Amino acid sequence: MSNEAVTPTASTSPTPTPTPPPPVVVGAFGELPAPNLPQPAYPPGQLTLQYELGFDLATLPAEAPVYRLVARRWDETSVTALARALGIEGEAVATPGGGFLVRSSAGQLVVSELTIQYQAATQMRQETPSGEQILALTPSPTTLRSDEELVAAAGRWLVQYGLVTTPLGVGSVHERLPEAGLAIVVFGPAEPNPVLSALPGATVTITTDGTIRQAFVAWPVALEPSTYSLRPAEALWQDIVSGRGTIDVDETIFIQASLPLRGTARIEGAELAWVDAGQGSTRYLTPVVRFRGTAMFEEYAEPIEITVTVPAVAAQAAPRG
């Protein structure tokens, strides 16, 4: 037998191959312009928060649709037909930027590639109305329609005249003006939802008996979808932690509590929303992520609901600021 020692051979485990990240999906519209994020109304530099994560970031989606807003193409014939349908018999006059204006004693209509503005004529009132006239102009409680009736009437009017070309979302009465017998009804699109910007959107001023006084409709002829990759969830959260998100909070706290406000926010979930991006007639609806939770502020006893919004599309220019 040989006395020579046998050197054991070291066993080597194969190095695991790292899983490559999924490819970034850039949709049909290429690199997107920066989103037009809603800006808070409270004073800048008056709110500082530390954040705690209370849900699994892996639940956030990796992709979402972007929508191109397809602009309308007007000509004298189509504008005149719409004006006639609305009871305006004037001549269509071209305006700068490819729009048209039609005006008559019944009101006026102004159209562009993405907007329609309608204004019904109002009768001139005496500077000092009599008591009988005041009573006649003031709607009685029995004539006031419910919010649901006003929303339904405004929605039917928008659809009847083709002022919206994709399904309406659930409308709401934004404001009532009882002294004038008016209500302001607002709509967004049914899809995507929710949209945080005014485009697409429709604002209709309606009397309490259902007559349309004026409307501003910012609505494309179509919403063309294309799928885009979203930024990694960790990058979205880092925007939150670094203070790069847009904070939405009940602004009455800035009156009730001492400034500047400092506190801690616990984020318990997130959802997609959409904002417009681009300028002029080249516009898109691009997804953002809205992180939701509650915040506790120093020297303020009650928890406050809070939402922090960050841009979400990977192939999109960063917003300013």
Side-chain angles (χ1 to χ4, degrees):
M1 294 181 61
S2 171
N3 292 328
E4 294 181 3
V6 178
T7 303
T9 303
S11 61
T12 58
S13 300
T15 303
T17 303
T19 302
V24 174
V25 177
V26 179
F29 317 129
E31 182 86 10
L32 298 168
N36 300 316
L37 292 174
Q39 296 302 308
Y42 54 80
Q46 297 299 308
L47 179 58
T48 301
L49 284 171
Q50 302 295 321
Y51 293 93
E52 299 174 353
L53 181 61
F55 78 106
D56 187 359
L57 289 173
T59 60
L60 294 177
E63 296 178 347
V66 168
Y67 298 84
R68 184 173 73 89
L69 277 62
V70 181
R72 297 176 185 255
R73 293 291 180 261
W74 296 100
D75 57 28
E76 186 174 342
T77 300
S78 59
V79 174
T80 300
L82 176 58
R84 296 291 186 273
L86 293 169
I88 302 173
E89 299 292 335
E91 179 184 353
V93 178
T95 60
F100 289 89
L101 164 67
V102 185
R103 181 184 290 130
S104 77
S105 59
Q108 74 172 22
L109 175 71
V110 182
V111 303
S112 67
E113 290 182 325
L114 286 175
T115 61
I116 300 171
Q117 300 176 66
Y118 166 74
Q119 175 71 58
T122 56
Q123 293 182 350
M124 297 297 292
R125 298 178 181 175
Q126 297 177 10
E127 293 184 4
T128 307
S130 65
E132 291 182 356
Q133 288 173 317
I134 292 175
L135 290 174
L137 294 172
T138 303
S140 66
T142 58
T143 64
L144 295 178
R145 294 194 176 191
S146 67
D147 285 5
E148 291 76 12
E149 290 173 313
L150 292 171
V151 168
R156 286 194 299 269
W157 182 82
L158 289 169
V159 173
Q160 175 185 351
Y161 292 103
L163 306 183
V164 293
T165 50
T166 64
L168 286 168
V170 177
S172 63
V173 173
H174 175 70
E175 186 178 5
R176 279 183 179 264
L177 305 170
E179 69 283 356
L182 299 174
I184 299 174
V185 180
V186 296
F187 294 92
E191 185 181 352
N193 182 269
V195 173
L196 306 183
S197 51
L199 178 67
T203 301
V204 180
T205 301
I206 183 172
T207 66
T208 49
D209 66 359
T211 302
I212 306 300
R213 281 284 185 82
Q214 63 183 27
F216 180 80
V217 183
W219 212 280
V221 71
L223 293 169
E224 180 183 338
S226 184
T227 299
Y228 277 72
S229 285
L230 302 184
R231 299 164 55 214
E234 292 77 9
L236 300 176
W237 178 248
Q238 189 57 46
D239 277 359
I240 300 290
V241 173
S242 302
R244 292 193 292 269
T246 300
I247 301 174
D248 184 13
V249 65
D250 185 351
E251 293 168 9
T252 59
I253 192 174
F254 293 95
I255 301 173
Q256 300 172 6
S258 301
L259 298 179
L261 293 174
R262 296 182 178 86
T264 301
R266 182 168 178 81
I267 302 300
E268 299 287 357
E271 64 184 15
L272 287 179
W274 280 260
V275 300
D276 77 302
Q279 301 293 330
S281 60
T282 304
R283 296 289 189 96
Y284 307 90
L285 283 180
T286 62
V288 295
V289 173
R290 306 189 81 198
F291 289 84
R292 295 187 176 275
T294 55
M296 293 297 300
F297 294 98
E298 298 173 3
E299 303 179 6
Y300 194 81
E302 300 297 325
I304 300 294
E305 292 186 358
I306 188 171
T307 302
V308 189
T309 304
V310 294
V313 181
Q316 184 171 26
R320 299 184 209 173

